[in-house]
Amino acid sequence: MRKNIQAPLLMAGLTLTLALPGLAQETEPTAPSEESSAQESQAPPASESASTATSSQQDATDPQPSDAPAPGDWAAWGRESHATRHSPLDQITADNIENLEVAWSYRTGDMPEGDHAESKYAPETTPIKVDDSLYLCSAMNIMISLDARTGEEQWRYDPQVDAGAIPYSASCRGVTYHEIPNAGDEQQCAARIIEGTLDGRLIAVDADTGELCQDFGDGGMVDLWEGIGEKVPGWYSVTAPPTIVQGIIVTGAQVKDGQAEDAPSGVIRGYDAQTGELAWAWDMGRPDLDGAPPEGETYTRGTPNMWTTAASDEELGYVYLPMGNSSVDYFGGNRSEEENEYSTSLVAIDVNSGEPVWHFQTVHYDVWDYDLGSQPSLVDFPQEDGSTVPALILASKQGDIYVLDRRTGESLFPVEEVEAPRGGVEPDNLSETQPSSSYHTLAFPDLEEKDMWGMTPIDQLWCRIQFRRAEYQGMYTPPTSERRFIQYPGYNGGNDWGSVAVDTERGVLIANYNNIPNYNRLLTREEAEERNLQPIYAGGDGSDSEEDGPAEGAGDPQVGAPYAIDVNAGWRAPITGMPCTAPPYGGIRAIDLASGETLWDKPLGEARKNGPFGIPTYLPLTIGTPNNGGPLITGSGLIFIAAATDDLFRAINIENGEVVWKDTLPAGGQANPMTYEVDGRQYVVIAPGGHHFMETPIGDHVIAYALPEDE
Amino acid sequence: MPTSSRGASGWCLLVFSLILILLGLILMAGGLWLASLGGSWYYLIAGLGLMVSGGLMARDSLTGAWLYFVVLVGTVIWALWEVGLSPWELLPRVFGYIVLGIVVAVLLPTLKRRQAMSGGKAS
């Protein structure tokens, strides 16, 4: 669940630094179960606990905006349930983009108060747009509606989330729009906005008024802590927009990494979108349990969770869950068989039964925090004979991109099992092989000593010595305790939560990526004690802020495992704060959708905001910085993306990868942009909120760009 | 050390020479460690070159300056061999040497003068 890192650099006599922030594969295709195939055309959820689901029956003639968005809408976090991040809008083009101007801007007012919050803000918010309104959330879960024409606030609902509930980051990537089928216009909450909160609530408010939906849960809220166990604020938090399939809200939660074996469950739950009643629960450790656990019991503790955003296929009734890792990321010896089966897998669940239909693991026995951060994109994948296959594109932190038949989970391209390194503290437990996609990988070749970097020969030499001292056998180097081990790519990817964008008309896949190692070591329990690594339930914030600079994620206690973990994310040298490895630290790549071949590949991000000792260099040189956040593609062939640590928002020509426009943001652009149209005018929106771990300025802005009205 | 009196430029030369010796010692120490770990021998050799170069220049020997340029040229060749024309990767490898090389060039007249004054006894 870590998503970011930072690193630094230098050039031409000047020195600079950058911030570097921070998949798997055996398929176990199961033919779609009978009940699922039998119900493609009939929508109502069939599970018993969803008996009230009669009220949420779908009207087949009236699809949800998220399943069939109007051309001018951006109806879900990834634009639609299929999450292509591709809009048909084409008013803004490479030829007229030089005239692009700020049409309106808005500030949520949600800025950190106090040091604790200051060091943890990373809103990562992307508004959605349906009809004439935008809907978004702030870092601390304030739900807001804006007039799409002017950016004026129409309503807001503040759920009053306490700062103590902030987990790794105060993030709210977005909200979800849902219409109750066959509801009258005057019915309250006929259209509703659903949000999951940092303090573990599902909230439904009226899309028109922002008032709580009284028919939903307890006065508009559902408590996600039910069945999780003792409530420890910040340990179980929703940061991603829920996915709604056939009237069922599906959500997981972020379980703060690395705290303890005995951690909140990674259970995935489905709730009726109208009533908020629990429809089903998928607890991998208790497959027989369909709903809530009996009084006094909890869902299976410490299991892999889903912190990121799912995608869905309304017709199949499947939700596609990018699962993370078990709570203890860097030691696997205590994991159950089920955890090893589903950890870091894409799991397809039939929302009518709440049962897994198939799953595809992108790393076996994950002891590297390579959880799936990227939302899958669903496309009709082109075949040589001109036909298409309903497919799903899945990008991983290792950089592998998989294309799977989304009905069965079978890969459309060969997936090779390659021999993996052995050794470390649990050599017998590690998988002998790891998956590798023949379709495409974003990963660079293994590191060599000469890839070490610095400002001068002296820090470069220091990094070369550290390289030689560390355990490194390429990707999947086994974690070690007696010395450091290099994890490359680091836990920020490859591709992370920003996900990829797919343009099926041009047949192009756009993926941005990080290219940064982590420099880690397993700590013995004695060392963890010396460092006073305290889990979140013991009052600590769960991380060691002493070492390695970054305030977060430097160390996790992993209570219950024989080792804690020390992570130098981005592998930065002490004193200078410069990365030990050479740039680029991030890039963006265009890939031919049908073949997986690279069309172009460019570094992403300028060196202007980075430099040694944390001093900005203002050098307008594209070096390729760490990045966090994804792209969008327009019908006119423009890619919009911020993401990098240079606080720039840019448009790139999809044909050749050239930056055709850029603007300076008031805060870090670690959020996905979106685009919409209202009254015949196309807008492109980004909410630059900054990111504590990317070391970019924190903000509460929402900025909409458009061409001048007289054009 | 030469006994002739030092002007400002003479002191600059001495200080710079001592810096070269220090840099050379750091690179030699780190380079020895790196080589012992199976890594590149470049840093050990370059460090030795810098140390000797600094030592000679401190003794007013022009040979020290020429040795510095040998290290510089050798470093550029090594850097190109290791990373080709990649500008970001050439940066840590050669930029510092070029800066120091400029200083050496600036100090050349002083060095020549002092070598002549000391009658070449240091060389």
Side-chain angles (χ1 to χ4, degrees):
Chain A
M1 333 219 152
R2 291 312 174 21
K3 321 139 215 193
N4 351 56
I5 302 177
Q6 280 242 163
L9 43 142
L10 115 129
M11 64 166 309
L14 303 178
T15 46
L16 2 161
T17 7
L18 312 183
L20 311 184
L23 319 239
Q25 137 246 346
E26 150 177 338
T27 48
E28 236 163 294
T30 320
S33 63
E34 287 174 36
E35 69 242 304
S36 67
S37 49
Q39 65 126 67
E40 278 183 31
S41 52
Q42 73 155 71
S47 93
E48 300 160 43
S49 50
S51 53
T52 54
T54 45
S55 60
S56 60
Q57 291 211 354
Q58 295 281 321
D59 182 340
T61 62
D62 191 17
Q64 292 287 333
S66 58
D67 293 315
D73 280 1
W74 191 280
W77 188 73
R79 182 168 187 270
E80 63 291 276
S81 304
H82 287 193
T84 63
R85 279 164 276 278
H86 172 242
S87 163
L89 298 179
D90 58 4
Q91 188 176 71
I92 301 166
T93 67
D95 292 329
N96 63 22
I97 196 165
E98 59 182 324
N99 301 320
L100 204 62
E101 59 183 25
V102 173
W104 55 259
S105 64
Y106 169 83
R107 299 190 66 161
T108 67
D110 184 355
M111 288 290 281
E113 291 171 23
D115 291 346
H116 179 69
E118 180 84 49
S119 62
K120 298 183 111 181
Y121 259 50
E124 301 174 355
T125 305
T126 302
I128 59 171
K129 184 264 185 183
V130 178
D131 297 331
D132 295 340
S133 296
L134 263 63
Y135 304 98
L136 64 144
C137 51
S138 72
M140 295 299 287
N141 298 127
I142 301 170
M143 301 166 78
I144 295 166
S145 170
L146 305 178
D147 184 329
R149 295 178 182 82
T150 62
E152 274 170 41
E153 183 175 311
Q154 303 183 127
W155 55 255
R156 69 165 50 201
Y157 172 74
D158 185 352
Q160 304 285 339
V161 172
D162 186 84
I166 300 175
Y168 173 68
S169 300
S171 301
C172 184
R173 291 191 200 94
V175 295
T176 308
Y177 179 94
H178 183 71
E179 290 174 357
I180 302 301
N182 305 319
D185 279 349
E186 62 294 333
Q187 182 179 329
Q188 202 227 8
C189 287
R192 55 187 62 197
I193 305 300
I194 313 282
E195 174 193 67
T197 66
L198 297 175
D199 57 6
R201 287 178 280 170
L202 266 186
I203 299 178
V205 301
D206 190 304
D208 292 330
T209 64
E211 285 167 18
L212 288 169
C213 297
Q214 296 304 325
D215 59 350
F216 185 85
D218 184 7
M221 298 187 198
V222 168
D223 183 5
L224 294 173
W225 277 96
E226 261 175 47
I228 297 299
E230 190 202 349
K231 192 166 178 173
V232 177
W235 208 355
Y236 189 83
S237 303
V238 181
T239 57
T243 302
I244 303 183
V245 198
Q246 296 189 354
I248 301 292
I249 302 169
V250 180
T251 190
Q254 172 181 137
V255 176
K256 195 172 193 301
D257 270 3
Q259 301 305 303
E261 298 272 0
D262 185 17
S265 176
V267 62
I268 304 294
R269 284 174 284 187
Y271 295 89
D272 184 283
Q274 178 160 9
T275 66
E277 267 187 61
L278 183 67
W280 48 258
W282 176 56
D283 176 353
M284 68 180 71
R286 301 177 71 167
D288 299 337
L289 189 70
D290 286 335
E295 190 75 28
E297 295 182 28
T298 67
Y299 296 108
T300 310
R301 305 272 295 169
T303 49
N305 57 75
M306 177 185 76
W307 57 265
T308 193
T309 314
S312 62
D313 185 324
E314 183 77 6
E315 272 181 47
L316 286 173
Y318 292 174
V319 60
Y320 300 98
L321 312 170
M323 299 298 292
N325 199 352
S326 299
S327 177
V328 166
D329 291 302
Y330 299 90
F331 182 82
N334 298 335
R335 292 177 192 162
S336 68
E337 208 172 297
E338 296 82 11
E339 288 178 79
N340 288 329
E341 183 74 31
Y342 289 108
S343 169
T344 321
S345 294
L346 194 283
V347 180
I349 293 225
D350 184 336
V351 294
N352 291 283
S353 63
E355 300 289 335
V357 183
W358 57 262
H359 66 284
F360 180 93
Q361 192 167 58
T362 56
V363 53
H364 311 313
Y365 203 80
D366 181 359
V367 283
W368 302 273
D369 199 8
Y370 278 147
D371 44 17
L372 287 169
S374 190
Q375 181 188 33
S377 294
L378 278 46
V379 297
D380 294 326
F381 197 84
Q383 300 293 290
E384 280 179 17
D385 62 6
S387 66
T388 60
V389 171
L392 168 157
I393 293 167
L394 177 66
S396 74
K397 286 185 171 178
Q398 298 96 303
D400 285 277
I401 298 178
Y402 297 95
V403 183
L404 311 177
D405 185 322
R406 67 176 184 258
R407 300 166 298 190
T408 64
E410 272 179 277
S411 178
L412 301 188
F413 293 85
V415 173
E416 199 187 341
E417 284 289 331
V418 298
E419 203 180 328
R422 309 302 298 275
V425 299
E426 42 179 343
D428 298 335
N429 297 338
L430 297 175
S431 176
E432 290 178 15
T433 62
Q434 293 289 357
S436 171
S437 174
S438 64
Y439 174 70
H440 191 90
T441 179
L442 300 165
F444 285 44
D446 287 351
L447 292 174
E448 298 177 50
E449 183 198 316
K450 71 182 179 70
D451 296 319
M452 299 303 108
W453 206 57
M455 293 188 294
T456 68
I458 291 172
D459 52 339
Q460 182 179 41
L461 169 58
W462 188 87
C463 287
R464 290 174 89 129
I465 291 168
Q466 302 312 312
F467 177 85
R468 288 286 176 181
R469 292 181 72 200
E471 177 76 16
Y472 182 57
Q473 303 177 54
M475 202 183 284
Y476 308 113
T477 294
T480 50
S481 179
E482 75 283 0
R483 58 174 171 157
R484 291 267 176 183
F485 66 98
I486 296 168
Q487 178 194 347
Y488 179 66
Y491 62 44
N492 278 62
N495 195 268
D496 203 349
W497 58 264
S499 316
V500 304
V502 192
D503 180 346
T504 48
E505 281 167 33
R506 285 184 178 77
V508 179
L509 171 67
I510 300 294
N512 56 306
Y513 56 87
N514 284 298
N515 177 40
I516 309 161
N518 288 358
Y519 196 60
N520 305 339
R521 190 166 73 82
L522 292 169
L523 305 174
T524 63
R525 292 262 60 105
E526 292 72 35
E527 289 174 305
E529 208 158 296
E530 279 165 27
R531 294 197 190 187
N532 197 26
L533 285 181
Q534 294 292 334
I536 189 166
Y537 59 81
D541 74 346
S543 52
D544 162 23
S545 57
E546 299 299 315
E547 241 207 16
D548 298 328
E552 269 80 29
D556 284 327
Q558 301 197 146
V559 172
Y563 301 95
I565 182 71
D566 175 338
V567 175
N568 178 344
W571 190 5
R572 294 202 277 181
I575 303 175
T576 62
M578 300 276 289
C580 256
T581 55
Y585 305 107
I588 183 166
R589 196 176 293 181
I591 296 158
D592 179 69
L593 183 61
S595 68
E597 285 168 18
T598 299
L599 299 171
W600 51 259
D601 185 16
K602 306 268 186 181
L604 178 69
E606 298 179 5
R608 57 191 289 273
K609 300 287 281 192
N610 302 286
F613 313 107
I615 302 163
T617 61
Y618 300 104
L619 283 175
L621 296 166
T622 298
I623 185 169
T625 75
N627 54 84
N628 221 203
L632 73 77
I633 306 172
T634 70
S636 54
L638 290 176
I639 300 158
F640 284 90
I641 185 167
T645 55
D646 56 10
D647 303 346
L648 296 177
F649 186 38
R650 55 185 73 73
I652 297 171
N653 187 335
I654 199 170
E655 300 295 335
N656 53 25
E658 281 173 20
V659 174
V660 294
W661 172 88
K662 63 184 176 185
D663 191 34
T664 305
L665 297 171
Q670 282 71 46
N672 286 19
M674 55 85 75
T675 186
Y676 68 89
E677 179 185 65
V678 66
D679 292 345
R681 195 177 186 203
Q682 182 188 357
Y683 298 78
V684 178
V685 173
I686 179 122
H691 197 296
H692 63 95
F693 200 52
M694 302 287 287
E695 297 173 19
T696 55
I698 302 304
D700 62 346
H701 308 74
V702 182
I703 300 172
Y705 296 88
L707 295 172
E709 287 206 78
D710 51 2
E711 290 223 1
Chain B
M1 289 283 151
T3 52
S4 45
S5 67
R6 286 186 180 279
S9 59
W11 282 107
C12 285
L13 175 63
L14 182 62
V15 170
F16 179 75
S17 302
L18 294 175
I19 290 172
L20 275 192
I21 292 171
L22 180 64
L23 291 175
L25 285 171
I26 292 170
L27 288 181
M28 278 178 68
L32 185 64
W33 191 2
L34 180 61
S36 75
L37 292 168
S40 170
W41 283 70
Y42 159 79
Y43 296 87
L44 178 58
I45 295 165
L48 186 63
L50 287 191
M51 191 193 66
V52 173
S53 164
L56 289 172
M57 286 170 71
R59 296 166 64 92
D60 297 334
S61 166
L62 202 50
T63 309
W66 301 133
L67 178 58
Y68 181 83
F69 290 118
V70 168
V71 172
L72 172 57
V73 170
T75 293
V76 170
I77 293 169
W78 163 78
L80 289 172
W81 167 76
E82 201 171 48
V83 297
L85 288 169
S86 165
W88 288 109
E89 291 181 277
L90 287 175
L91 188 59
R93 289 174 170 83
V94 304
F95 179 74
Y97 285 97
I98 290 171
V99 171
L100 294 178
I102 291 168
V103 177
V104 172
V106 167
L107 289 171
L108 270 183
T110 305
L111 199 50
K112 279 181 184 166
R113 193 172 64 243
R114 291 186 63 83
Q115 177 168 301
M117 275 163 47
S118 61
K121 73 180 172 192
S123 56

